[in-house]
Amino acid sequence: MPYLIGIDLGTSATKTIMIDENGAIVASALQQYPMYQPQNGWAEQDPSDWKDAVLKTIKEVVEQAGVEKEEILGIGLSGQMHGLVMLDEKNEPIGKSIIWCDQRTEKQVKEMHEILPLSKWLQITANPPLAAWTAAKILWTRDNEPEKYQVCRHILLPKDYIRQVLTGEFATDVSDASGMQLLDVKNRCWSDEILNALHIDKNLLGTVHESQEITGTVKKEIADICGLSDKTIVVAGASDNASAAIGTGVVNDGEAFTTIGTSAIVYTHLDSYKEIPEGSLHICCCAVPGCWHTMGGPQSAGLSLEWFKNNFCTDYDVEAEEREMDVYSLMNEKIDRVPIGSDKLIFLPFLMGERTPHMDPKYRGAFLGLNAVHKKENLLRAVMEGVSYSLADCNNILKSIGTVVNSMRVCGGGSKSPVWQKIMAALYDCDIKTLKQEEGPAYGACILAGVAAGVFENIQKACEEFVKEDKTIYCNRNDMEKYKKYHKLYDRFYEALKDEFGLLADIDE
Ligand SMILES: Nc1ncnc2c1ncn2[C@@H]1O[C@H](COP(=O)(O)OP(=O)(O)O)[C@@H](O)[C@H]1O
Ligand SMILES: O=C(CO)[C@@H](O)[C@H](O)COP(=O)(O)O
């Protein structure tokens, strides 16, 4: 029987799964790694951690499944977007990767605005210059670490570095390449005009492919390490969000999902290219050939919850162990007992600056309305609510451009939370649908591999057959009215504090 492997190179961990030709998950493995923050607003990861995690988890799923290596026909890659991986002439990573949520590139973003008018950026790259996207990170490195840039021979995105490790090929796919700000997003190819304007050599970049195209086969030495055949194909794959769209079956015009991982994204599928006024939502190519998608959301979603848990809730680990439960289930239980509005407490979830809708790398997080009555649980609930207000702001932008989502599928670690599901339903004013397959990006990557290997006819048919809805969480209108009051204040707080956060970021120590 044919088997397929899907890899999701997430920010918190790599998740690798194997499915059979009926779409059933037969094996899965996960390996976590750290994020380094050498300075306020910076975020890096070590490509060697990614490589170790991928090789180890592939080996694990192959062993778990116990199938013949020749039966494993293909590997699909998906991963965190925008990260800058630079390789030297020996194809070794030059230092750590500056990842998507790093906010050090404010100066470079300003320069990008000076180099070309906003209208040009929107026309070609479909997005305004963004601090989190790869082009600004390349310029930052060239300005600040020229010795690294000089020895750089290849520029890759995180999942594409993994492709290089597995196959030796330098390639990317249209969805992930869209997040580099170097792609002509409408025409799905590198933009010579942008590359020339930024003085970036096209030879540094990999070849661009549609997500379901084959980009190589697994190298013999890697095949031997992982227990694979060297005939196993590796497909172009997709960004984590574009791959999650396939994994959640969001592949037809107007369909939408929300993912809550380290970041969170509200995603909608577009059958045809659409310009978004002022670039208030991101537009990227999607993994379905000839289609695009919108996305927007807070940088620090699960990251905010994780930050609070790790710094202030170590006692929960003890309690969870005593009660023989998962620490997130315990947190959800505690959050569920706190009333809507967290007893008049609002959290601004901008721990790593803000992206959609405000695009402000200097913004920071805050708890507003703290009172002696508050307990830790109030703060935890406020974190979840704050992230959800930000997601609702993105959904409201969608409404303003005529896209009304009536049914929102969910994926990502945070979306497993029943409390978060209820909050989303109330704030979006729509049904939330959980799925039987919760693996989102990794599942989408398996489907892409299956299409390339000829196991599945096409992406849509595979989604129709395998991706099934599970529970529906309905919008509670009483809750919605309560949240509305807090949401309005949340938006006012954002405006009120914008300039002060800029001053705080600019303090010279
Ligand atoms: N049951 C849960 N309730 C709430 N949040 C959760 C739960 N499980 C995981 N998370 C959050 O989900 C995040 C991890 O999700 P994941 O989709 O694996 O992220 P990534 O792709 O960024 O690695 C963590 O930051 C954690 O805060
Ligand atoms: O920056 C973006 C999308 O623009 C993020 O979605 C990253 O792709 C990271 O994803 P997670 O690790 O949070 O899933």
Side-chain angles (χ1 to χ4, degrees), residues 315-493:
D315 55 327
Y316 286 180
D317 289 323
V318 181
E319 186 179 341
E321 204 178 325
E322 275 169 15
R323 292 175 58 192
E324 294 182 6
M325 66 198 292
D326 167 63
V327 69
Y328 285 107
S329 305
L330 177 70
M331 278 159 63
N332 277 291
E333 185 186 286
K334 289 181 188 284
I335 292 170
D336 205 21
R337 286 199 212 116
V338 178
I340 288 172
S342 309
D343 207 350
K344 303 189 180 176
L345 181 65
I346 291 177
F347 176 66
L348 302 181
F350 308 123
L351 299 181
M352 300 298 293
E354 178 51 330
R355 190 166 42 184
T356 351
H358 304 297
M359 306 197 195
D360 185 347
K362 289 181 176 171
Y363 217 91
R364 288 293 179 267
F367 282 105
L368 293 153
L370 274 170
N371 180 278
V373 77
H374 290 140
K375 300 203 171 69
K376 196 154 62 185
E377 289 76 31
N378 294 79
L379 277 75
L380 258 182
R381 183 171 183 112
V383 168
M384 238 182 217
E385 291 180 343
V387 169
S388 310
Y389 297 136
S390 172
L391 283 167
D393 281 339
C394 294
N395 192 41
N396 287 340
I397 300 177
L398 279 173
K399 285 182 189 162
S400 74
I401 58 165
T403 307
V404 178
V405 179
N406 295 315
S407 173
M408 182 77 82
R409 292 183 170 186
V410 290
C411 72
S415 75
K416 290 182 191 146
S417 155
V419 195
W420 229 330
Q421 293 164 4
K422 277 192 282 180
I423 299 175
M424 279 191 278
L427 275 163
Y428 289 160
D429 185 14
C430 81
D431 298 346
I432 295 293
K433 306 271 188 182
T434 65
L435 296 164
K436 294 216 160 93
Q437 303 80 1
E438 291 181 331
E439 285 72 13
Y443 200 80
C446 285
I447 290 181
L448 286 171
V451 172
V455 180
F456 309 135
E457 195 179 326
N458 62 40
I459 295 171
Q460 284 93 339
K461 282 207 174 142
C463 288
E464 229 168 83
E465 201 173 336
F466 304 134
V467 182
K468 300 288 173 212
E469 290 183 349
D470 191 12
K471 290 192 212 91
T472 303
I473 296 91
Y474 297 101
C475 165
N476 178 317
R477 304 204 79 79
N478 284 335
D479 291 358
M480 185 173 85
E481 291 309 321
K482 289 182 192 163
Y483 282 120
K484 265 188 189 163
K485 295 180 200 158
Y486 289 98
H487 187 189
K488 210 185 256 174
L489 268 176
Y490 164 96
D491 284 337
R492 286 181 60 165
F493 280 142

Side-chain angles (χ1 to χ4, degrees), residues 237-256:
S239 70
D240 52 359
N241 295 301
S243 196
I246 298 177
T248 55
V250 170
V251 289
N252 297 299
D253 204 47
E255 289 176 347

Side-chain angles (χ1 to χ4, degrees), residues 42 86 98 104 140-150:
W42 290 26
M86 299 197 312
I98 304 177
R104 73 183 75 173
W140 184 93
T141 307
R142 196 167 63 191
D143 290 347
N144 295 280
E145 298 181 334
E147 68 293 350
K148 285 190 182 167
Y149 197 73
Q150 253 165 24

Side-chain angles (χ1 to χ4, degrees), residues 232-340:
T232 307
I233 59 166
V234 176
V235 296
S239 70
D240 52 359
N241 295 301
S243 196
I246 298 177
T248 55
V250 170
V251 289
N252 297 299
D253 204 47
E255 289 176 347
F257 74 90
T258 293
T259 171
I260 304 180
T262 305
S263 67
I265 289 285
V266 184
Y267 176 113
T268 62
H269 177 97
L270 300 173
D271 268 350
S272 55
Y273 185 78
K274 183 172 179 173
E275 279 176 24
I276 304 275
E278 290 160 37
S280 51
L281 286 173
H282 307 319
I283 299 279
C284 297
C285 300
C286 89
V288 181
C291 298
W292 287 264
H293 71 84
T294 68
M295 66 174 183
Q299 304 238 98
S300 313
L303 187 149
S304 296
L305 200 68
E306 199 72 15
W307 162 78
F308 194 81
K309 172 174 92 59
N310 293 344
N311 285 287
F312 309 109
C313 304
T314 41
D315 55 327
Y316 286 180
D317 289 323
V318 181
E319 186 179 341
E321 204 178 325
E322 275 169 15
R323 292 175 58 192
E324 294 182 6
M325 66 198 292
D326 167 63
V327 69
Y328 285 107
S329 305
L330 177 70
M331 278 159 63
N332 277 291
E333 185 186 286
K334 289 181 188 284
I335 292 170
D336 205 21
R337 286 199 212 116
V338 178
I340 288 172

